[in-house]
Amino acid sequence: MAFAAMGKILNVDLSSGAIHEEAIPDAIYRTYLSGTGLAARILYDRIPAGADPLGPDNILGFTAGLLTGTPSYFTGRWSVVGKSPLTGTWGDANCGGSLAPAIKRNGYDGIFFRGISGNPVYLYVKNGRAELRDASHLWGKDAPDAEAMLTGEHGKGARVAVIGPAGERLSLISGISNDRGRMAARSGLGAVMGAKRLKAVVLDGKLRIPVHDAEAMKRLSRSCNRWVQMQPPFLSGRAMAYLGAFMRVLPTQMALDGMLYKIFLRKWGTTSMNQMSVEIGDAPVMNWKGSSADWGMGKSASVNPDNIKALEKAKYHCYACPLGCGGICVPKPGAPEVHKPEYESVLSLGGQCMNADLDSIFHMNELLNRAGMDTISAGGTISFAMECWEQGVLTKADTDGLELTWGNAAAMVALVEKMIRREGIGDVLADGVRRAAERIGKGAGQYAVHAGGQELPQHDGRNDPGFAVHYSVEPTPGRHTLGAQMYYEMFQLWKRVRHLPRPPLLYFKGRKYVADEEKAVTAAACSRYMALANASGLCLFGLFLGASRIPVFEWLNAATGWNRTPNDYLAAGERIHTLRQAFNVKHGIDPRANRLCDRAAGIPAQTRGANRGRTVAIAKMMSDYWRQFGWDPETGVPPPMEREAGKSGS
């Protein structure tokens, strides 16, 4: 590969200690690009069917996207991939921060681990020279402390991906951290790293990343940045809540332009939507059985975005990001600096558990970041336990004396600590709701909200059925970063791909629930686009600018020297998507089993709140979606010829 990609990967066998480079043929990049696309090909071919996700045959990969390190924006996401121990499916998670370019500056597009080390180790790579080093002194340290020790040993220029105690203890809801607690949290891949006794990956490289036409990329980037910097004055945080309440009672809604969300992100970060999402029915409440009627503006006022912004000491940007939605906060005078909790974390630990104590949310977010545990899954698991308590399924005898009443912040903090330590009831809950329901029995499964075993994020498919579809049909179930009806509106792909439908500017809300051909076409377009984005290292928030404002396709052509059309690139996204689905089929996964639970589909429908009376025709929407890819509409299985096409790109 002459441009954009580095043309090789690094393979590490932790059982034998062998390390070797592997050249990747150009045809692979042309077919799957890089990032998760390259990883899909490698993992599909090399992980044997039925492999134990925590065993030596599973492969754990760290990849950077095709555009990472080029003069483009929003291209600093790194991905971790493997067979998920949480769902048994294809697993991936991605994160911003500073690790992605460090992979390529060491000369690799990905680093892949197999085997299991006999003792804790970490991989150290400096300018392409790699070695495994003893990590006994790091084992047991939390993620930020271990990272600080490693940068102390190797210099501040070193970039670190590391697990905390949750990954070491094989929690199936653990993730992988970089930049002092920023998490690639989903799919439970921290447990895969822990099972391999791989504490960290430390990268320190300065190699050049080749680009076909750097000047053209810079011109494109300057044009994109003008949209990012456009920032008119906007409403207060409290007014956002009232706007949400007003939108809730309207029978209609407007197609969302991502420029509006960009303004929110730049002003507050992802917490901008905290109260507004509750009011419009986007944020689930009380383990998905409540609504804004239960956690209204009076209770959610504590997580008003202005309250959180007031604690922000400084904003930060991921690598190659001109927006900067991250923040460092000081929650109390004299307290240590912590990451600003994201929208997902605030509402998973807030409204989902009826918890209005912002101090406790900051504290739990920090505990989970340090332990390397997914805040979405942790919050979903706590709310599950609270409903089990409410229904008498769990009692004090089961919970080590904790009273898991709704909104009991002190009990939540204690429970998080127990989950991290795998102590008592914490051990029961440390692997997420599906495993916990199996262990508890007594009908607890009816309170476990998940898709394919993964706890659902804080976007309610009863408000936007597109979320319900993508939670159920994606090769990695239960993910909110892959598609939704409002994502399609913000992507504005119809401006670049002429056959894709343009949504009406104003429409009745009931239209969202009609399971028609157009819904399937737009959901499939989201999946293709996000597969392309994750192969390129792109950030979802950048894509929300709209396809005519963020020059994804032009950046790719300028970086590689290719001359492909948007349709060509979406076809590459479909190949990646098909190959990941084929991975699941190879490993015995029935795609129908990843369907989200009835409660989250509005079965039965809620009787009050923004989503009252709403039921998602999930079975038909899943079938229609699979038909868009030529897969069996009843089972979601790609036919053998399609699976081969996914492999070869033919």
Side-chain angles (χ1 to χ4, degrees), residues 252-265:
T252 58
Q253 70 180 66
M254 294 186 67
L256 184 60
D257 189 314
M259 278 297 289
L260 182 60
Y261 186 56
K262 190 278 302 179
I263 292 169
F264 298 171
L265 282 175

Side-chain angles (χ1 to χ4, degrees), residues 517 620 622-634:
E517 176 78 6
K620 184 174 189 309
M622 290 172 68
S623 178
D624 290 349
Y625 171 92
W626 287 330
R627 190 178 285 109
Q628 291 298 314
F629 294 96
W631 304 347
D632 188 313
E634 300 303 319

Side-chain angles (χ1 to χ4, degrees), residues 23 53 56 68 91 166 179 226 243 307 315 322 357 397 458 579 582 590 623 630:
T68 298
D179 286 12
R226 282 194 284 272
L243 178 61
N307 292 349
K315 285 184 173 295
D357 184 335
Q458 299 307 294
L579 192 51
D590 180 346
S623 178

Side-chain angles (χ1 to χ4, degrees), residues 277-321:
S277 282
V278 174
E279 293 301 321
I280 64 176
D282 175 45
V285 170
M286 208 179 188
N287 199 32
W288 293 72
K289 70 175 183 138
S291 70
S292 61
D294 302 290
W295 210 64
M297 275 193 263
K299 292 181 178 175
S300 66
S302 62
V303 299
N304 180 303
D306 285 342
N307 292 349
I308 296 174
K309 186 176 174 62
L311 303 174
E312 188 176 84
K313 178 183 177 183
K315 285 184 173 295
Y316 62 74
H317 299 237
C318 295
Y319 170 81
C321 176

Side-chain angles (χ1 to χ4, degrees), residues 45-65:
D45 288 345
R46 300 181 186 182
I47 298 178
D52 178 358
L54 300 181
D57 290 334
N58 197 8
I59 295 175
L60 182 71
F62 294 80
T63 66

Side-chain angles (χ1 to χ4, degrees), residues 11-91:
N11 293 303
V12 181
D13 187 327
L14 291 165
S15 295
S16 66
I19 300 174
H20 74 274
E21 294 181 350
E22 177 183 352
I24 300 297
D26 281 3
I28 297 294
Y29 293 106
R30 290 180 179 277
T31 305
Y32 304 104
L33 309 182
S34 192
T36 53
L38 171 62
R41 175 60 191 261
I42 289 171
L43 268 58
Y44 178 89
D45 288 345
R46 300 181 186 182
I47 298 178
D52 178 358
L54 300 181
D57 290 334
N58 197 8
I59 295 175
L60 182 71
F62 294 80
T63 66
L66 190 59
L67 285 174
T68 298
T70 68
S72 53
Y73 282 136
F74 298 107
T75 50
R77 305 294 291 186
W78 57 277
S79 291
V80 58
V81 297
K83 183 176 180 180
S84 166
L86 181 64
T87 62
T89 66
W90 167 270

